Amino acid sequence: MGCWGIKSYDNDDAHEALDRGFERVHGDVYDDLMDDKNPLTLEQVQTRLASAETLAAALDLFLDEAGSKREQWDDLDRLGYAGIVVRHAELGVPIPPDVLAAAIQFLEAEDMDWDADATTRGLRRSKELEMLRRAGSG
């Protein structure tokens, strides 16, 4: 399936778009921070560099892969999109209302079998939806 954890961005599609989005916006700075010799964790690097620009770049790159016709997306495509948005919301990036609404819709309609415990994923999904709804009301 390409999913390895319980977070919406713990899947291949979201992870790749996030990585490429940060690289597109920050170039060599991102590459240097992601170098194995750098003591910063992925969390610390993304916290430092996340912005509206990295969100836009990651979503743009994602759309290049998934296609712009959302009605043709499968469950993994919808999850990948939502995962990119969730990750940026976690990092405190303001999310445009239309992007936020789509991510919420995709998470609410999620109907996937996860390798991880379904209860644990359900709790995480509820947490993500709550966070996104708060981001939209603030």
Side-chain angles (χ1 to χ4, degrees):
M1 176 189 326
C3 295
W4 59 81
I6 61 166
K7 299 172 184 173
S8 292
Y9 50 87
D10 286 344
N11 68 74
D12 295 337
D13 294 337
H15 177 76
E16 183 173 327
L18 285 163
D19 185 54
R20 291 176 52 212
F22 278 91
E23 185 173 29
R24 177 187 278 182
V25 172
H26 297 288
D28 289 340
V29 170
Y30 178 69
D31 289 339
D32 290 345
L33 290 172
M34 291 302 294
D35 187 276
D36 289 341
K37 296 174 188 157
N38 187 324
L40 295 177
T41 65
L42 175 63
E43 176 77 22
Q44 291 169 319
V45 171
Q46 288 184 346
T47 298
R48 182 179 288 184
L49 299 178
S51 66
E53 291 79 17
T54 60
L55 172 62
L59 290 174
D60 182 54
L61 290 159
F62 179 82
L63 291 172
D64 283 348
E65 291 295 319
S68 60
K69 295 182 180 181
R70 293 180 184 181
E71 65 276 1
Q72 295 178 356
W73 287 0
D74 62 17
D75 289 338
L76 278 176
D77 292 330
R78 290 186 291 275
L79 180 65
Y81 182 97
I84 293 165
V85 176
V86 164
R87 184 64 183 135
H88 277 83
E90 282 182 349
L91 296 168
V93 174
I95 311 295
D98 59 324
V99 171
L100 190 62
I104 290 171
Q105 178 186 6
F106 292 154
L107 285 178
E108 287 176 339
E110 181 182 303
D111 185 29
M112 291 177 44
D113 291 326
W114 283 72
D115 292 338
D117 176 41
T119 301
T120 305
R121 171 58 191 156
L123 292 170
R124 173 62 190 193
R125 185 176 149 270
S126 294
K127 180 180 177 180
E128 291 175 353
L129 280 165
E130 181 181 318
M131 178 186 53
L132 293 178
R133 289 182 182 121
R134 274 195 323 267
S137 65

